[in-house]
Each structure stands twice: as C-alpha cells, then as structure tokens.
Amino acid sequence: MASHEDHGHQAAVQAATYHAHDVLDETAKTAVVGLGAGFFLAAIQNAMSKRNVGAFGVFTRGGPLIGLAAASPAAYTFFSRTMMNLREKDDALAAGFGGFMAGGVLGLPTKRMPVVMALGALVGTVQGTFHLLGGRLDSFKTEDDEFAHKETIRRTTRVPVEQTVSEIGEGRGIKPPGYEERRRERIQEKYGFEINPVSATVEGSQ
C-alpha cells in the first residue's frame, strides 16, 4: 500500500515538474543532424558506385536517402515532443507515437500503405520499448538512476517538519517546537530530577 502511494506521489511530482519542449527548435536540430548523416551515407554510396557518376551524384542519386535521413528523425522529434507537451508527460506512449510517425515516413517511398503502417508499427514499438527500458538496451533503470530520481524528488518537494521529526527523531541538532519541554520530561522520568530552564536575561542571571 505504501509503495503504491509512493509511486503515485512520484508520478504527481513528475507531472508537476514537467518542462515543456521547444518543438520547432528541437525538430530543426534533429533535421540538421539527419541531413548530415544522410549526406555521409549518400557520399559512401556514391564512392562505392561502380559507375562514374561524378561528385554531384551525392545529390542526384543520394537525394532520396538524404531526405529520408532528415525527415524521419525530424518526424519523430516533432510528433513525440508535441504529444509530450499536450499531455505534459514524458513517457513511452509519446515515444511510441513519434516512432510510429518516423517509421511511416520511412515507408512512404514504397507508396504502399501496408508497408507504411508496418514500418510505423515496428519503429513505434521499438521506440516505446526503448523509452520504457529507461533509454538503455541492457536493462531497466539501475539503482543509480533510481537514487538520482529520488534525489530530484527530495529537492523539489517540501516535506513537513512533523514528518521529518517522526522519521528520524528529535535531537542531534533537530529541535522542533516543544523540544526542550519534552527533553526535560524525559530526563525527569529517567533520572528522577527536574531541570529548570536557564533564562538568558539579566533577571535570570541574578
């Protein structure tokens, strides 16, 4: 029961601390990176060609490859970030939706809807699963990731003093309201004598 409540509290904190994405800026950056990767692949394809296609063959023959390399990642970034902003959640559903759109773009050159849908479903499933695994291929989030997550929650969540005192106890520099009175009562119960508080005023020193 407690773990379920903790999970719900963490989800609420994540929702409260969600930071919106700049969709157009991130999409543009992703497209530029995709263009660079596509140009690199097209250059390799052109260099390995057995025909003499010339230097401009990178653009004439590799144009579709460069376009797909830019459009597919850009589609993923645009649709996934847009869904995150609309739902205010960075989760596997948004990643899967972005992957579906990116896979659909990869299937457009075939001009066959079944291929478009199949590639979209494939890439969407891979992206959603990858996000669900914590952005790693080996396993779910490690203990270090969980510790960092709890530290973020601790820094962004204000805990009442009463809860802190009840968890770690009084003393050792922690002095909530009424601490001195309870301390005197404990000493009187344990040792049998009463401690009168010392006044810091002039009258108390006389």
Side-chain angles (χ1 to χ4, degrees):
M1 184 65 180
S3 61
H4 178 72
E5 293 177 353
D6 293 342
H7 179 73
H9 177 67
Q10 293 178 2
V13 171
Q14 281 184 324
T17 58
Y18 174 80
H19 298 287
H21 294 272
D22 189 341
V23 178
L24 296 181
D25 180 67
E26 294 185 19
T27 302
K29 291 179 180 178
T30 305
V32 170
V33 174
L35 280 174
F39 180 80
F40 178 73
L41 293 176
I44 294 178
Q45 183 185 42
N46 188 64
M48 296 179 65
S49 178
K50 296 181 179 180
R51 295 182 299 172
N52 187 14
V53 294
F56 287 99
V58 175
F59 302 100
T60 57
R61 299 180 66 250
L65 178 60
I66 297 175
L68 284 177
S72 182
Y76 170 79
T77 302
F78 178 81
F79 287 102
S80 63
R81 301 303 188 269
T82 300
M83 193 171 187
M84 291 176 188
N85 287 347
L86 291 176
R87 300 173 62 244
E88 295 187 353
K89 290 182 180 180
D90 185 355
D91 55 5
L93 182 60
F97 179 70
F100 177 81
M101 302 305 293
V105 170
L106 293 177
L108 289 178
T110 64
K111 299 180 180 179
R112 298 177 59 185
M113 186 56 64
V115 177
V116 173
M117 298 299 292
L119 283 176
L122 176 62
V123 178
T125 302
V126 171
Q127 288 292 341
T129 305
F130 186 70
H131 190 284
L132 189 64
L133 294 176
R136 61 181 74 242
L137 295 176
D138 53 355
S139 63
F140 287 90
K141 293 182 179 180
T142 62
E143 184 178 352
D144 293 337
D145 297 326
E146 186 67 20
F147 175 76
H149 177 63
K150 290 183 178 179
E151 281 293 306
T152 302
I153 295 177
R154 183 185 63 82
R155 290 193 299 268
T156 57
T157 305
R158 187 181 297 275
V159 179
V161 177
E162 294 79 5
Q163 179 180 345
T164 303
V165 173
S166 64
E167 291 178 355
I168 64 177
E170 299 177 334
R172 301 178 301 280
I174 301 176
K175 298 181 180 180
Y179 167 73
E180 293 296 339
E181 290 78 3
R182 289 189 294 271
R183 178 172 176 270
R184 288 196 296 271
E185 291 175 0
R186 288 194 296 267
I187 292 176
Q188 184 177 4
E189 293 176 359
K190 186 174 182 179
Y191 300 104
F193 60 88
E194 182 179 358
I195 297 179
N196 294 322
V198 178
S199 177
T201 63
V202 176
E203 292 79 3
S205 62
Q206 294 177 352

